[in-house]
Structure formats: C-alpha cells, structure tokens
Amino acid sequence: ETGVTQSPTHLIKTRGQQVTLRCSSQSGHNTVSWYQQALGQGPQFIFQYYREEENGRGNFPPRFSGLQFPNYSSELNVNALELDDSALYLCASSPPRGTSGRENEQFFGPGTRLTVL
Amino acid sequence: DQQVKQNSPSLSVQEGRISILNCDYTNSMFDYFLWYKKYPAEGPTFLISISSIKDKNEDGRFTVFLNKSAKHLSLHIVPSQPGDSAVYFCAASRYQGGKLIFGQGTELSVKP
C-alpha cells in the first residue's frame, strides 16, 4: 500500500511569485486535506477536497486555491507569495466514509518545505 | 482563537516510566480527538483517537483519556521508550473525516 506522497520536497521562491504543490493520496482514499505548519506551531487547516469538490476551508485568503483530480490526487496553488507563507505544507488523505473505524484518520505525507525570500 | 491547546511545549521522561501529555479544548462541538506523533522531516503519524461517546481508548502502550466536562484529554504512554521521543500533537474535529484543529505540540524526550 503506497502512502501519501508530496512533491517537491523543498522549494524556494521569491515574494510575488506563484507556487504549485502536489499530493498523491493513499490508495483508496478519496478525501484530501491541506495544512500549513509554521515553525513551532501545529498544522493549520487550509482546505479539504472530497470527490473533486472543495469541502471546507480554513481561514486562508483566496490566493490559496486547490484542485482535486479524478484519481484523487491534489494540488495546492498559492499566488502572490508573501514572506509569511514560508512553512511546511502538509497533505493528508482519508479513506471513504463508512470505512469501518478508519474514516476519522487522516494520513499525512512528508510535506513540502516552502521558503519565500 | 486557539481552540485546542497544549500548554506544555516540552516534557522529559526516563525510559520505562509513564509519559503523560495533556491537551485542552474550548469548543464543545468537537466530537473526535486524535493524537499524532511527528519526527523531524516527516509528516505527522496517527497514533490513537477517541470519540466523544467514550472516555478511554487503549492501543498497546498508548491510552487516551477524555474528560468532556473539563474539555481535557490526555495521552499516556507506558512504558516510555527512547523511540517515543518526538513532537506529539493533539487534534480535534467536529465530525468524522472533518478538518482537524491541532494544538501547538509537545516535544517529548525519553532518556535512557
């Protein structure tokens, strides 16, 4: 069983640029969530995708956008990068609802470390 | 507004002893609580969860206790092992599969 994978591992951008981060969900998982983890903090929810539709959004501006594809992989796009966007971006997938006892678990990828200069 | 709080940034425990990590929450609508462990350069790894209809859940060396009236949960690790040294996050959600609200984390160090 392949776990959640993310690419790239590390990325350096400058202010004002745009970035796309990618996530492949765990096999059989149809829900993907994205989180931002700043240094010394817990992960903060950005948004969630379920069956290619946005299914909840945290307190992030519209320049944070996403997509989910038919194979349930996902992208996170951030426009007009700011210095404060420097963080670890985590993708998590979870199994279909009704999966016995496991649907509340979110399985995280290793993250993409974004540095904005 | 920090809805989930872990007030101890760090905890040091001797190998073989019990580790107790604490977490408080403010939103009474939370129905599911989870603990994750995180090593540097890795994503969080799910450890154990509990729903609000229970007050205790065990899995091997890990036990989570939930006190709904106090809006408090704790993770007990017995016996603690050096490999348990990591950052531990508690998280809460309002429904199964919903967005997770994380605490700030507690760094556990288990000394041989």
Side-chain angles (χ1 to χ4, degrees):
Chain A
E1 185 180 78
T2 306
V4 178
T5 61
Q6 292 185 243
S7 62
T9 308
H10 296 87
L11 201 52
I12 299 175
K13 292 283 189 177
T14 57
R15 273 186 306 175
Q17 285 189 310
Q18 179 266 342
V19 69
T20 297
L21 310 182
R22 295 179 175 83
C23 170
S24 290
S25 60
Q26 188 163 319
S27 176
H29 290 188
N30 60 2
T31 301
V32 172
S33 304
W34 285 91
Y35 293 83
Q36 179 196 67
Q37 186 180 11
L39 203 61
Q41 301 294 316
Q44 300 284 316
F45 176 76
I46 302 175
F47 41 58
Q48 182 181 83
Y49 279 84
Y50 172 64
R51 292 185 176 178
E52 302 177 58
E53 297 286 330
E54 187 177 288
N55 182 42
R57 187 179 182 92
N59 190 26
F60 281 81
R63 58 190 186 84
F64 285 78
S65 63
L67 280 175
Q68 187 180 31
F69 300 99
N71 66 354
Y72 303 131
S73 66
S74 178
E75 286 183 354
L76 164 65
N77 299 290
V78 187
N79 293 321
L81 283 167
E82 301 177 1
L83 296 179
D84 285 349
D85 295 335
S86 295
L88 180 68
Y89 288 85
L90 294 161
C91 168
S93 71
S94 44
R97 292 161 194 184
T99 307
S100 170
R102 303 301 298 274
E103 56 266 30
N104 196 45
E105 294 179 29
Q106 294 189 20
F107 296 81
F108 283 82
T112 294
R113 172 71 62 189
L114 173 64
T115 302
V116 182
L117 303 176
Chain B
D1 176 28
Q2 191 73 30
Q3 296 186 66
V4 178
K5 294 183 184 180
Q6 294 175 256
N7 292 318
S8 298
S10 62
L11 175 68
S12 183
V13 170
Q14 206 67 29
E15 180 180 6
R17 307 295 290 269
I18 184 172
S19 296
I20 300 177
L21 297 101
N22 293 303
C23 180
D24 296 295
Y25 62 96
T26 57
N27 191 338
S28 57
M29 300 294 287
F30 288 141
D31 264 346
Y32 296 93
F33 303 90
L34 304 90
W35 284 93
Y36 281 84
K37 176 168 80 171
K38 188 178 185 303
Y39 294 116
E42 294 183 12
T45 303
F46 171 80
L47 271 177
I48 191 169
S49 65
I50 189 168
S51 73
S52 60
I53 62 172
K54 295 185 176 181
D55 55 16
K56 178 182 175 181
N57 190 26
E58 283 183 85
D59 185 0
R61 296 186 296 115
F62 302 93
T63 303
V64 56
F65 295 92
L66 175 62
N67 182 334
K68 282 184 295 183
S69 60
K71 294 191 179 70
H72 176 85
L73 66 153
S74 60
L75 174 68
H76 293 209
I77 307 174
V78 183
S80 301
Q81 300 173 353
D84 295 331
S85 297
V87 178
Y88 288 77
F89 291 98
C90 69
S93 69
R94 291 182 59 182
Y95 54 90
Q96 285 186 330
K99 71 176 185 181
L100 296 176
I101 308 296
F102 283 85
Q104 307 95 310
T106 296
E107 184 171 10
L108 173 66
S109 175
V110 181
K111 302 195 181 301

Short mmCIF file of all heavy atoms in Angstrom, two decimals, chain B residues 4 9 13-15 17 27 36 44 47 49 51-53 66 68 71 75 77 85 87 96 102 105 110:
data_model
loop_
_atom_site.label_atom_id
_atom_site.label_comp_id
_atom_site.label_asym_id
_atom_site.label_seq_id
_atom_site.Cartn_x
_atom_site.Cartn_y
_atom_site.Cartn_z
N VAL B 4 -7.66 24.51 20.46
CA VAL B 4 -7.02 23.33 21.02
C VAL B 4 -5.65 23.77 21.55
O VAL B 4 -4.87 24.37 20.79
CB VAL B 4 -6.84 22.22 19.96
CG1 VAL B 4 -6.12 21.02 20.55
CG2 VAL B 4 -8.21 21.80 19.41
N PRO B 9 5.19 22.91 26.22
CA PRO B 9 5.94 22.79 24.97
C PRO B 9 6.89 21.58 24.98
O PRO B 9 7.21 21.05 23.92
CB PRO B 9 6.77 24.08 24.90
CG PRO B 9 6.24 24.96 25.96
CD PRO B 9 5.52 24.12 26.96
N VAL B 13 11.15 12.52 30.17
CA VAL B 13 10.77 11.36 30.98
C VAL B 13 11.87 10.31 30.90
O VAL B 13 12.54 10.18 29.87
CB VAL B 13 9.44 10.77 30.45
CG1 VAL B 13 9.12 9.44 31.07
CG2 VAL B 13 8.30 11.75 30.66
N GLN B 14 12.03 9.58 31.97
CA GLN B 14 13.00 8.49 31.99
C GLN B 14 12.42 7.26 31.29
O GLN B 14 11.21 6.96 31.40
CB GLN B 14 13.33 8.15 33.45
CG GLN B 14 14.69 7.54 33.67
CD GLN B 14 15.83 8.51 33.38
OE1 GLN B 14 15.69 9.72 33.52
NE2 GLN B 14 16.96 7.99 32.96
N GLU B 15 13.27 6.56 30.58
CA GLU B 15 12.85 5.32 29.91
C GLU B 15 12.19 4.38 30.93
O GLU B 15 12.67 4.20 32.06
CB GLU B 15 14.06 4.63 29.29
CG GLU B 15 13.74 3.34 28.57
CD GLU B 15 14.97 2.69 27.95
OE1 GLU B 15 16.09 3.18 28.18
OE2 GLU B 15 14.81 1.69 27.22
N ARG B 17 9.34 4.78 32.38
CA ARG B 17 8.33 5.46 33.18
C ARG B 17 7.16 5.85 32.30
O ARG B 17 7.17 5.67 31.08
CB ARG B 17 8.94 6.71 33.85
CG ARG B 17 10.21 6.43 34.65
CD ARG B 17 9.94 5.54 35.84
NE ARG B 17 9.17 6.20 36.87
CZ ARG B 17 9.70 6.87 37.90
NH1 ARG B 17 11.00 6.99 38.02
NH2 ARG B 17 8.92 7.41 38.82
N ASN B 27 -13.99 24.20 22.29
CA ASN B 27 -15.21 24.05 21.51
C ASN B 27 -15.95 22.77 21.89
O ASN B 27 -15.48 21.67 21.61
CB ASN B 27 -14.84 24.03 20.01
CG ASN B 27 -16.05 24.14 19.11
OD1 ASN B 27 -17.18 23.84 19.51
ND2 ASN B 27 -15.83 24.57 17.88
N TYR B 36 -1.30 12.63 17.23
CA TYR B 36 -0.33 12.36 16.18
C TYR B 36 1.06 12.54 16.75
O TYR B 36 1.29 13.36 17.65
CB TYR B 36 -0.51 13.33 15.00
CG TYR B 36 -1.66 13.01 14.07
CD1 TYR B 36 -2.95 13.42 14.37
CD2 TYR B 36 -1.44 12.30 12.90
CE1 TYR B 36 -4.00 13.12 13.50
CE2 TYR B 36 -2.48 12.01 12.03
CZ TYR B 36 -3.75 12.42 12.35
OH TYR B 36 -4.78 12.12 11.49
N PRO B 44 3.12 14.11 10.21
CA PRO B 44 2.55 13.52 11.42
C PRO B 44 2.05 12.10 11.17
O PRO B 44 1.50 11.81 10.11
CB PRO B 44 1.38 14.46 11.75
CG PRO B 44 1.68 15.74 11.05
CD PRO B 44 2.42 15.36 9.81
N LEU B 47 -1.59 8.16 15.85
CA LEU B 47 -1.32 7.26 16.97
C LEU B 47 -2.60 6.58 17.47
O LEU B 47 -2.70 5.37 17.51
CB LEU B 47 -0.73 8.05 18.13
CG LEU B 47 0.78 8.23 18.18
CD1 LEU B 47 1.13 9.10 19.38
CD2 LEU B 47 1.51 6.90 18.26
N SER B 49 -7.06 7.54 18.56
CA SER B 49 -8.15 8.51 18.57
C SER B 49 -9.22 8.09 19.56
O SER B 49 -9.22 6.96 20.07
CB SER B 49 -8.75 8.66 17.17
OG SER B 49 -9.38 7.45 16.77
N SER B 51 -13.62 9.01 20.34
CA SER B 51 -14.81 9.81 20.05
C SER B 51 -15.41 10.28 21.36
O SER B 51 -15.12 9.73 22.43
CB SER B 51 -15.83 9.01 19.26
OG SER B 51 -16.45 8.05 20.07
N SER B 52 -16.28 11.27 21.27
CA SER B 52 -16.80 11.89 22.49
C SER B 52 -17.75 10.99 23.27
O SER B 52 -18.12 11.32 24.40
CB SER B 52 -17.52 13.20 22.14
OG SER B 52 -18.59 12.95 21.26
N ILE B 53 -18.13 9.85 22.70
CA ILE B 53 -19.02 8.95 23.43
C ILE B 53 -18.24 8.04 24.37
O ILE B 53 -18.83 7.28 25.15
CB ILE B 53 -19.88 8.09 22.48
CG1 ILE B 53 -19.01 7.20 21.59
CG2 ILE B 53 -20.78 8.98 21.63
CD1 ILE B 53 -19.81 6.21 20.76
N LEU B 66 -10.43 10.93 27.89
CA LEU B 66 -11.20 12.13 27.55
C LEU B 66 -12.10 12.51 28.71
O LEU B 66 -12.89 11.69 29.20
CB LEU B 66 -12.04 11.89 26.30
CG LEU B 66 -12.99 13.02 25.88
CD1 LEU B 66 -12.22 14.29 25.54
CD2 LEU B 66 -13.86 12.58 24.70
N LYS B 68 -14.88 15.12 29.12
CA LYS B 68 -15.67 16.11 28.37
C LYS B 68 -16.08 17.29 29.24
O LYS B 68 -16.12 18.43 28.77
CB LYS B 68 -16.90 15.45 27.77
CG LYS B 68 -16.61 14.66 26.52
CD LYS B 68 -17.87 14.12 25.91
CE LYS B 68 -18.54 13.13 26.82
NZ LYS B 68 -19.76 12.53 26.24
N LYS B 71 -13.27 19.44 29.34
CA LYS B 71 -12.74 19.71 27.99
C LYS B 71 -11.23 19.46 27.99
O LYS B 71 -10.42 20.32 27.61
CB LYS B 71 -13.06 21.13 27.54
CG LYS B 71 -14.55 21.39 27.32
CD LYS B 71 -14.77 22.72 26.62
CE LYS B 71 -16.23 22.99 26.36
NZ LYS B 71 -16.97 23.25 27.59
N LEU B 75 -2.84 11.83 26.83
CA LEU B 75 -2.25 10.64 26.22
C LEU B 75 -1.24 10.08 27.20
O LEU B 75 -0.34 10.80 27.65
CB LEU B 75 -1.56 11.00 24.90
CG LEU B 75 -0.78 9.87 24.23
CD1 LEU B 75 -1.73 8.78 23.72
CD2 LEU B 75 0.09 10.41 23.08
N ILE B 77 1.62 7.13 27.81
CA ILE B 77 2.50 6.17 27.16
C ILE B 77 3.21 5.39 28.25
O ILE B 77 3.96 5.97 29.06
CB ILE B 77 3.53 6.87 26.26
CG1 ILE B 77 2.84 7.82 25.27
CG2 ILE B 77 4.36 5.83 25.50
CD1 ILE B 77 3.81 8.66 24.44
N SER B 85 10.55 9.48 21.55
CA SER B 85 10.96 10.89 21.52
C SER B 85 10.55 11.51 20.19
O SER B 85 10.98 11.08 19.12
CB SER B 85 12.47 11.01 21.71
OG SER B 85 12.86 10.51 22.98
N VAL B 87 7.67 15.01 18.59
CA VAL B 87 6.66 16.03 18.93
C VAL B 87 5.29 15.38 18.81
O VAL B 87 4.99 14.72 17.81
CB VAL B 87 6.77 17.25 18.00
CG1 VAL B 87 5.67 18.27 18.34
CG2 VAL B 87 8.15 17.88 18.11
N GLN B 96 -16.58 13.03 11.71
CA GLN B 96 -15.64 12.08 11.14
C GLN B 96 -15.14 12.58 9.79
O GLN B 96 -15.93 12.94 8.93
CB GLN B 96 -16.31 10.72 10.97
CG GLN B 96 -16.49 9.99 12.28
CD GLN B 96 -17.03 8.59 12.07
OE1 GLN B 96 -17.76 8.35 11.11
NE2 GLN B 96 -16.69 7.68 12.94
N PHE B 102 -5.47 21.51 15.32
CA PHE B 102 -4.33 20.99 16.06
C PHE B 102 -3.93 21.91 17.21
O PHE B 102 -4.07 23.14 17.14
CB PHE B 102 -3.11 20.85 15.14
CG PHE B 102 -3.16 19.65 14.24
CD1 PHE B 102 -3.83 19.70 13.03
CD2 PHE B 102 -2.52 18.48 14.60
CE1 PHE B 102 -3.85 18.60 12.19
CE2 PHE B 102 -2.54 17.38 13.77
CZ PHE B 102 -3.21 17.44 12.56
N GLY B 105 1.58 21.39 19.96
CA GLY B 105 2.53 20.31 20.07
C GLY B 105 3.29 20.31 21.39
O GLY B 105 3.51 21.35 22.01
N VAL B 110 12.50 11.06 25.77
CA VAL B 110 12.60 9.91 26.67
C VAL B 110 14.07 9.54 26.79
O VAL B 110 14.72 9.16 25.80
CB VAL B 110 11.79 8.71 26.13
CG1 VAL B 110 11.91 7.53 27.10
CG2 VAL B 110 10.34 9.09 25.94
#
